Amino acid sequence: MAQMTEPAAPTTTETATRAEPTSAPASATLWDVLGTLVDRRGRKGRQYPLQALLAVALAAMLAGANDLRAIFRWGRRLKPEALALFGLAKAPCHSQWFYFFRSLDGDALAATLGAFALGGTEPGHLAIDGKTLKGSRRLDAKALHVVSAFATRVSAVVGDVVLEPGQNEITAALSLLKQLPLEGAIVTGDAIFCQREICRTITDGGGDYAFVVKDNQPELKAAIAEAFGELSPLRAPATGPRRSAA
């Protein structure tokens, strides 16, 4: 849903307040959590409640809708009694969906849904990785590249950051980690994330890390090999002739 929820500046003179993930009670439902997000639309654009539109969009995506038009069509097929369950008297038109997603703070939505998935508990194992979103390329627009954090305990993505132009996965991962609860977490990732600032951010947050070390960091690799001595799998293989066991 990242390609439809890219943050955009409000088009009205009203001041937009950036939504931060809230620690909802353990008994809070997804509907309750969606209601905590700040509505950045102008007064005239709030014909449909934000909470209801988000719920319809999520339900449509769970039913297989993968773009704005599919969400619109799915909503239009809902019967009046189904719309009433979402608090709607009628389904929004395509243009209303378009302006709704343009105004939606995608980062705040991702953070809120991630906090809901964790349920206020320690994240446990967090695997961070960067991937290009399949199907996110539209016309002349480049495909979206996202760095995500997957919590294995809840089997869900609990945070993600879309790379801005000129940004790399290292700075994106650093930004992502600063948004996540790291107390008691064990963060893993590829060799690209084995950076001092990333490791420091994790330990300062109360977590631990395990990153791959490759030949692109020869000094670090050699230091690890020396620290573990004969037990290190990173030690260079012995050179010279070997004695035959025969």
Side-chain angles (χ1 to χ4, degrees):
M1 185 170 177
Q3 64 268 31
M4 297 182 293
T5 60
E6 185 177 354
T11 56
T12 69
T13 56
E14 295 185 6
T15 302
T17 304
R18 183 174 181 80
E20 298 292 342
T22 57
S23 54
S27 59
T29 65
L30 179 57
W31 175 261
D32 297 329
V33 171
L34 294 179
T36 65
L37 286 162
V38 173
D39 195 340
R40 304 200 310 171
R41 296 174 295 174
R43 184 174 57 185
K44 293 182 179 179
R46 302 186 184 187
Q47 181 179 354
Y48 298 91
L50 179 143
Q51 185 180 26
L53 292 182
L54 282 176
V56 172
L58 289 173
M61 295 182 71
L62 289 173
N66 59 3
D67 59 20
L68 188 148
R69 181 173 296 180
I71 292 173
F72 155 68
R73 289 176 173 173
W74 188 88
R76 277 295 173 123
R77 289 195 295 267
L78 291 177
K79 296 181 178 180
E81 53 269 30
L83 286 170
L85 294 175
F86 290 103
L88 298 174
K90 61 178 181 178
C93 66
H94 185 274
S95 62
Q96 287 166 328
W97 279 113
F98 174 79
Y99 289 112
F100 167 70
F101 283 121
R102 281 289 301 271
S103 68
L104 187 61
D105 188 337
D107 290 338
L109 175 61
T112 299
L113 292 178
F116 172 73
L118 287 175
T121 61
E122 291 185 353
H125 175 206
L126 286 176
I128 58 175
D129 195 13
K131 296 293 182 183
T132 298
L133 293 184
K134 181 180 179 180
S136 62
R137 184 173 182 177
R138 294 289 187 272
L139 300 177
D140 59 342
K142 294 183 179 180
L144 296 179
H145 196 78
V146 180
V147 174
S148 304
F150 182 84
T152 59
R153 185 180 60 79
V154 295
S155 298
V157 172
V158 294
D160 58 37
V161 171
V162 177
L163 269 67
E164 301 293 339
Q167 189 180 26
N168 58 41
E169 288 190 3
I170 297 173
T171 55
L174 190 59
S175 174
L176 173 61
L177 289 169
K178 290 179 179 179
Q179 301 173 19
L180 297 173
L182 298 175
E183 184 69 37
I186 299 177
V187 182
T188 62
D190 295 333
I192 190 174
F193 301 118
C194 189
Q195 308 290 331
R196 285 190 178 91
E197 191 62 29
I198 289 179
C199 296
R200 187 180 298 112
T201 298
I202 294 171
T203 54
D204 288 348
D208 294 293
Y209 58 86
F211 293 128
V212 178
V213 177
K214 293 185 177 180
D215 292 334
N216 62 327
Q217 298 192 69
E219 293 183 3
L220 176 60
K221 185 175 180 180
I224 295 174
E226 182 179 354
F228 284 89
E230 297 292 338
L231 298 177
S232 174
L234 300 179
R235 288 180 63 85
T239 58
R242 293 187 177 184
R243 185 175 60 182
S244 173

